[in-house]
């Protein structure tokens, strides 16, 4: 009997080795579906790597989706075999962009965009994390149940990581139990509108609702994001109806005074977020600031007094001006509106000086019919700039004339958005962080013409089409997976949903 066992031992060993090889190969196959690079332990080398300590030449070591070491110059070569490193030469390697303001519209309005198309566009633009807004999907994300609809819809469809803001609406704003349930379900914070949102199940809030939301958020240490426009009486209504194709008409219907009135109320509400205040721990974030005048002055003053307050703007406010928008070209309609060239210069000055904290896309697509391009009616067209894939080259193209450095770019698009969304292991190339990286060539030029591969569901509605930009994204890594490379995506959508705990 012992002799039989002894003779069977080599066969058993062979069978076990084969089984191990099969399991290993199966695992590798699964990984290869998620990544266009076959290794889970490898190095990324470049002469321009953006770190919190500045720009370095060297390599980043990645193992199982995490950054495990960063070495300068050629020190890394002794620790990596040839088939385990990717040398990007002069291309810039920076932390993946984190877009805290995007409308992916699923479930319910997948024909507008959707998790698959939207996250493919994000990956093609160097964005590794998106935080989805609670409205434009159907239903809006205002409860534990509607958040589950979101997370269920995202399964197997997302090529980058996706988190979710919840909605602060009159229905839940003064009901602490309802808000706590939504926050306990995992939303990263709340979002509200101070003017009509255009979505029936996402009504506007008043300052009392906002104060109620802040009091609950103070216990969770999560932010409240606010669309800061407060409708004021206007004498422009008759003129607007008679000249709806004129961009100047639309601009007059949403003057800077709307933003100023809203910001004034918000600044008052954030008094209690200061140290020792009743809402200490809460944080208010003003989304897509357009007015660089009195609104910005109010924000700066509140910050100087210790209010827990931040503000973002968007690339379309930095790239376009009202004077250049053709009549009838409703691709440029958004709210707040794009203002004049002098205002644009002030926005750049404020951003470069640190008074504007971060950037977001406010990617807000729709079906082409809702943009009413054939009619050119600015008053009836859906408002929103479709931009997700282009925000990095747009920011870089226009930022060069303001001496925008790679480190500043990473701060605006990665570090500070990560902080707002509570993502402590994202936003910077440091040991221990998630290996979420964007690789791009600043000198390479792009023609956004009909031949350019665009992954938005409806490229025709983007105001950026037809533009010439600098800054080509060549690779995007999400948790170590190479999800986008030179126009191609990984076979499987292996991004993760992000829920607060």
């Amino acid at each position: 009997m012992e002799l039989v066992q002894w003779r069977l031992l080599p066969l058993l060993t062979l069978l076990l080795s084969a089984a191990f090889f099969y399991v290993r190969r199966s695992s590798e196959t699964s990984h290869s579906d998620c990544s266009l690079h076959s290794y889970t332990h490898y190095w990324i080398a470049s002469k321009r790597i953006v770190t919190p300590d500045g720009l370095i030449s060297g390599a980043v070591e990645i193992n199982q989706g995490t950054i495990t070491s960063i070495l300068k110059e050629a020190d890394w070569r002794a620790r990596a075999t040839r088939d385990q490193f990717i040398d990007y030469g002069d291309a810039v390697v920076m932390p993946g962009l984190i877009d805290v303001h995007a409308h992916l519209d699923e479930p319910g309005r997948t024909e507008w965009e959707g998790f698959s198309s939207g996250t493919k566009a994000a990956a093609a633009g160097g964005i590794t994390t998106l935080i989805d807004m609670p409205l434009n999907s159907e239903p809006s994300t205002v409860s534990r149940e509607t958040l589950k609809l979101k997370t269920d819809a995202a399964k197997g469809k997302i090529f980058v990581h996706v988190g979710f803001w919840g909605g602060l609406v009159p229905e839940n704003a003064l009901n602490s139990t309802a808000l706590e349930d939504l926050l306990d379900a995992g939303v990263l914070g709340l979002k509200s509108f101070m003017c009509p949102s255009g979505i029936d199940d996402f009504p506007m809030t008043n300052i009392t609702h906002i104060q109620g939301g802040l009091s609950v958020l103070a216990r969770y240490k999560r932010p409240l994001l606010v669309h800061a426009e407060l409708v004021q009486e206007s004498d422009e209504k008759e003129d607007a109806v008679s000249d709806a194709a004129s961009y100047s008409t639309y601009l007059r219907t949403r003057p800077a005074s709307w933003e100023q009135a809203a910001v004034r109320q918000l600044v008052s509400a954030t008094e209690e977020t200061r140290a020792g205040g009743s809402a200490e721990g809460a944080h208010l974030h003003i989304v897509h600031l357009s007015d660089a005048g009195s609104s910005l002055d109010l924000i700066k003053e509140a910050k100087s007094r210790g209010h827990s307050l931040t503000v973002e703007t968007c690339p379309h406010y930095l790239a376009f001006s009202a004077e250049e928008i053709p009549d009838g070209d409703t691709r440029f309609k958004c709210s707040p509106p794009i203002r004049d060239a002098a205002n644009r210069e002030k926005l750049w000055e404020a951003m470069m000086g640190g008074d504007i904290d971060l950037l977001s896309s406010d990617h807000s697509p729709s079906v082409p019919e809702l943009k009413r391009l054939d009619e050119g009616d600015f008053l009836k067209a859906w408002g929103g700039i479709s931009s997700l894939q282009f925000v990095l080259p747009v920011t870089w193209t226009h930022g060069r004339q303001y001496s925008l450095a790679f480190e500043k770019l990473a701060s605006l698009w990665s570090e500070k958005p990560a902080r707002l969304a509570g993502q402590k292991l994202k936003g910077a190339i440091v040991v221990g962080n998630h290996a979420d990286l964007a690789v791009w060539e600043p000198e390479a030029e792009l023609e956004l013409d009909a031949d350019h591969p665009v992954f938005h569901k409806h490229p025709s509605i983007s105001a950026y089409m037809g533009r010439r930009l600098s800054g080509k994204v060549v690779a995007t890594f999400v948790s170590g997976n190479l999800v986008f490379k030179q126009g191609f995506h990984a076979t499987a959508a292996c991004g993760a949903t992000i829920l607060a705990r």
Side-chain angles (χ1 to χ4, degrees), residues 104-122:
L104 294 177
D105 305 332
E106 190 172 357
R109 291 191 175 94
T110 312
E111 70 276 13
W112 289 22
E113 186 65 277
F115 284 118
S116 180
S117 57
T119 58
K120 277 188 172 182

Side-chain angles (χ1 to χ4, degrees), residues 15-303:
L15 288 172
L16 286 171
S17 297
F20 174 78
F21 178 76
Y22 175 76
V23 170
R24 183 180 175 189
R25 290 296 297 169
S26 298
S27 174
E28 287 178 358
T29 301
S30 174
H31 168 71
S32 70
D33 291 340
C34 297
S35 179
L36 297 170
H37 184 60
S38 58
Y39 290 91
T40 58
H41 182 199
Y42 60 95
W43 299 75
I44 292 175
S46 170
K47 295 177 182 176
R48 295 188 286 188
I49 300 174
V50 184
T51 76
D53 297 323
L55 203 64
I56 68 167
S57 173
V60 179
E61 182 184 13
I62 295 168
N63 195 356
Q64 302 295 328
T66 299
I67 297 171
T68 53
S69 69
I70 303 163
L71 295 179
K72 295 181 180 180
E73 303 304 335
D75 296 346
W76 61 275
R77 292 184 184 275
R79 293 175 54 183
T81 60
R82 177 172 300 211
D83 56 355
Q84 287 178 298
F85 75 86
I86 311 171
D87 193 343
Y88 284 109
D90 291 327
V92 172
V93 176
M94 65 179 274
L97 280 68
I98 297 173
D99 187 357
V100 296
H101 192 146
H103 298 267
L104 294 177
D105 305 332
E106 190 172 357
R109 291 191 175 94
T110 312
E111 70 276 13
W112 289 22
E113 186 65 277
F115 284 118
S116 180
S117 57
T119 58
K120 277 188 172 182
I127 298 169
T128 54
T129 301
L130 287 172
I131 314 298
D132 183 50
M133 279 293 165
L135 70 162
N136 294 10
S137 55
E138 193 174 18
S140 295
T141 311
V142 295
S143 65
R144 176 184 290 271
E145 294 73 24
T146 50
L147 175 63
K148 187 174 187 304
L149 292 176
K150 276 277 188 187
T151 56
D152 286 348
K155 288 177 181 175
K157 296 180 184 177
I158 53 177
F159 287 82
V160 302
H161 300 320
V162 178
F164 308 91
W165 301 120
L168 180 78
V169 292
E171 179 184 351
N172 62 21
L174 302 180
N175 183 338
S176 60
T177 301
L179 283 185
E180 287 167 359
D181 192 46
L182 178 56
L183 290 160
D184 288 340
V187 295
L188 303 180
L190 301 175
K191 163 73 182 297
S192 74
F193 269 70
M194 295 181 76
C195 62
S197 72
I199 299 295
D200 291 341
D201 70 346
F202 205 93
M204 60 184 281
T205 53
N206 59 34
I207 200 63
T208 302
H209 297 135
I210 288 168
Q211 288 169 325
L214 286 173
S215 67
V216 174
L217 286 163
R219 299 196 294 275
Y220 285 80
K221 304 293 190 291
R222 298 181 207 167
L224 173 61
L225 287 70
V226 182
H227 180 127
E229 284 185 289
L230 193 61
V231 177
Q232 307 290 289
E233 289 299 319
S234 173
D235 298 322
E236 304 291 347
K237 293 178 182 177
E238 269 185 55
D239 180 45
V241 172
S242 65
D243 195 10
S246 169
Y247 182 75
S248 61
T249 293
Y250 172 63
L251 186 57
R252 289 196 298 273
T253 67
R254 296 187 94 108
S257 61
W258 285 26
E259 289 189 84
Q260 293 159 14
V263 170
R264 190 170 289 108
Q265 287 195 5
L266 292 174
V267 165
S268 176
T270 56
E271 284 278 355
E272 293 303 317
T273 65
R274 295 187 297 175
S278 60
E280 182 181 357
H283 180 80
L284 193 139
H285 179 75
I286 295 172
V287 300
H288 51 46
L289 182 76
S290 168
D291 172 45
S294 296
S295 299
L296 189 58
D297 291 338
L298 288 164
I299 293 166
K300 288 164 59 177
E301 184 183 354
K303 284 182 176 183

